[in-house]
Amino acid sequence: MPRMPRSRGPAVGGATLFTQRQRGHSLQAGTDSTAQRARAADGPGHGGRTVAAAGAMPEAEAHARLVESRLAILRTRILREMRSRGWHRLAVVPLTRGAGGSFVARALARAIARQPHTRAMLIDLDLAQPSQAGMLGIPGCPPLTEALAAGRPLDEIATSLADCPNLTVIAPARAEPAAAEILQDEALAQALALLQAAHPGSIAILDTAPLIGADDALAALPLAEAILLVADGQNGTAADMTLAERLLKDMPPVMGVILNKSED
C-alpha cells in the first residue's frame, strides 16, 4: 500500500504552514492530563485506558513529556496563526477513522487552556459517534437537537473541567441520528455564533467525524474558520490525501496536517 507522501504542508492564504510528523512516537499514545502521565494510554477506537505496569513507568513518563512538548509547539503555531487572522473556531478533522483526530482535538484544547489568559472550548461534533464525554470521564450533555429545539444556549449544556478551569466542553452523551442534517441546521450555526459572542477571544476546537467515508465532516466544516487535518502515518495513503484535497475544495483553509503514528 502506498504510504502517505512527505509534504511541507498546505498553503493558507499564500503562506505555507506546517506538516507535523510524530517520528517513532504517536501523539495518540499521550494522556489527557499531566496528572495521568505514565499511567494511562488513550488509543483510537478504544473506549478505555490501559494501566501501565510499574516497570514501564519511566518510559511512559518520558513518552508523555515528549507528547506534551510536541503539543505545546502545535499550540503555539496554531494560536499565532489564528490570532493574526482573527479566527476563533478550528475544526480538527481526521482523514480516516482511527487516525487519532479526537485525541488531538482534546489534547490541543487542553494545551490551549493551560495558558492563564486563554479560554478554550472543546465541542464534539462527531455526532454519530461522540467520544469526548467518555474519554474525559464526564456525564456528557443532552443531544444538541434537544437544546436547539428548546432554544437553549449552548452554554447551558456545557461542562467545565475541575482540572482545567479555562476549558469548557460540549460533549453529547450519546449518538444522534441524522448527524449531517443536524450539522447543517442553521439553528446550530446561530447557536455557535452566540456561544462565541458570549466568550470573545476564546478558541473553539471542533472535533469532527472522519473526512473520508461519510458526509458528516463535510457538513461540520462550514461551522469552522480553519481546519487542522490528522492523517494516519502508518495506514494512510497518497490516495487519501488526494481525495481530501478534492473534498476540501471551497471549504475553510487548511492550517496544517498532523501525520500521526509516523515511523519515519
Side-chain angles (χ1 to χ4, degrees):
M1 178 180 294
R3 297 290 300 278
M4 193 72 71
R6 294 181 179 271
S7 170
R8 292 177 56 213
V12 179
T16 299
L17 295 182
F18 62 91
T19 295
Q20 180 161 329
R21 287 177 175 270
Q22 308 311 320
R23 297 177 183 272
H25 293 269
S26 169
L27 267 183
Q28 190 67 27
T31 57
D32 277 355
S33 69
T34 303
Q36 289 175 323
R37 280 186 206 147
R39 75 174 177 85
D42 185 0
H46 299 284
R49 292 177 169 82
T50 302
V51 178
M57 294 288 279
E59 182 180 353
E61 178 79 17
H63 190 172
R65 287 179 175 172
L66 175 63
V67 169
E68 188 171 296
S69 173
R70 289 174 172 173
L71 283 167
I73 294 171
L74 178 64
R75 172 194 62 194
T76 299
R77 289 175 167 180
I78 284 175
L79 283 179
R80 181 177 63 231
E81 191 68 25
M82 292 189 71
R83 284 169 174 165
S84 71
R85 297 173 184 272
W87 295 338
H88 298 281
R89 291 195 297 272
L90 174 69
V92 176
V93 185
L95 290 186
T96 55
R97 183 71 64 183
S102 291
F103 177 85
V104 171
R106 185 167 62 254
L108 178 59
R110 279 188 176 275
I112 291 171
R114 279 198 294 270
Q115 294 198 334
H117 304 294
T118 303
R119 295 197 60 84
M121 294 182 282
L122 174 63
I123 305 175
D124 192 344
L125 293 184
D126 187 359
L127 300 182
Q129 296 189 48
S131 63
Q132 295 293 359
M135 290 299 181
L136 288 167
I138 60 177
C141 67
L144 291 184
T145 48
E146 290 183 9
L148 296 175
R152 296 177 64 189
L154 294 182
D155 260 336
E156 292 186 4
I157 63 172
T159 299
S160 296
L161 302 184
D163 67 334
C164 195
N166 282 350
L167 177 61
T168 299
V169 179
I170 298 176
R174 60 182 185 272
E176 297 199 52
E181 286 74 12
I182 298 168
L183 292 166
Q184 294 175 81
D185 192 329
E186 181 61 25
L188 178 58
Q190 292 177 2
L192 287 173
L194 290 173
L195 180 67
Q196 194 73 57
H199 301 279
S202 63
I203 301 295
I205 303 298
L206 312 181
D207 176 25
T208 78
L211 181 63
I212 297 173
D215 65 337
D216 294 7
L218 291 175
L221 291 184
L223 299 171
E225 294 167 303
I227 296 168
L228 178 68
L229 293 176
V230 181
D232 188 332
Q234 292 181 345
N235 300 310
T237 67
D240 291 340
M241 190 58 73
T242 299
L243 178 56
E245 289 176 358
R246 293 205 306 267
L247 292 173
L248 292 173
K249 184 180 179 182
D250 300 325
M251 288 293 179
V254 177
M255 292 189 70
V257 180
I258 296 295
L259 191 55
N260 199 21
K261 301 184 285 186
S262 175
E263 298 292 339
D264 9 293

